[in-house]
Amino acid sequence: MVDAQGHLIGEVRVSAEGGLWSGEIDLRGTAPSIVSLFNQFEDVVNGQMLSFLDDLETEIRQLGARFLIAEGQALPVGDLQVYPELRVVSFRAVGW
């Protein structure tokens, strides 16, 4: 998975079920600023501090995440959720 500029967000191993992709993510090699964003997201969700969730989801959307499916082919990603501590990822592939 990469951002809009082609920078690594994380290496994922996922499967699809009903339009939702989920599985494992490896954040090694991911920019510290992106890892920090996902750590904040995880803290907000786990702490049920939902008043902060909209701003974080906006920041995550602005990454412009794309799921690489084959050489030169990528699907835009929506509803991206990354939980670094658990190494879990879920998202919807837009246009799949």
Side-chain angles (χ1 to χ4, degrees):
M1 183 171 298
V2 296
D3 67 11
Q5 289 77 38
H7 301 119
L8 179 69
I9 289 178
E11 292 188 25
V12 298
R13 274 182 283 181
V14 294
S15 59
E17 186 173 320
L20 178 67
W21 294 74
S22 61
E24 297 179 15
I25 188 166
D26 183 347
L27 295 172
R28 288 180 291 189
T30 304
S33 60
I34 293 175
V35 174
S36 176
L37 177 61
F38 293 138
N39 281 326
Q40 289 174 49
F41 174 82
E42 185 172 36
D43 290 345
V44 164
V45 170
N46 289 341
Q48 297 182 3
M49 300 177 285
L50 303 180
S51 61
F52 298 104
L53 195 55
D54 286 342
D55 290 339
L56 286 171
E57 287 178 332
T58 297
E59 284 186 61
I60 291 169
R61 260 192 316 276
Q62 289 174 345
L63 292 173
R66 295 177 293 139
F67 177 49
L68 303 175
I69 56 172
E71 187 72 31
Q73 294 182 326
L75 292 173
V77 168
D79 300 326
L80 176 61
Q81 297 182 4
V82 175
Y83 299 90
E85 188 172 315
L86 300 173
R87 299 184 62 200
V88 171
V89 62
S90 68
F91 59 89
R92 297 197 183 280
V94 179
W96 180 256

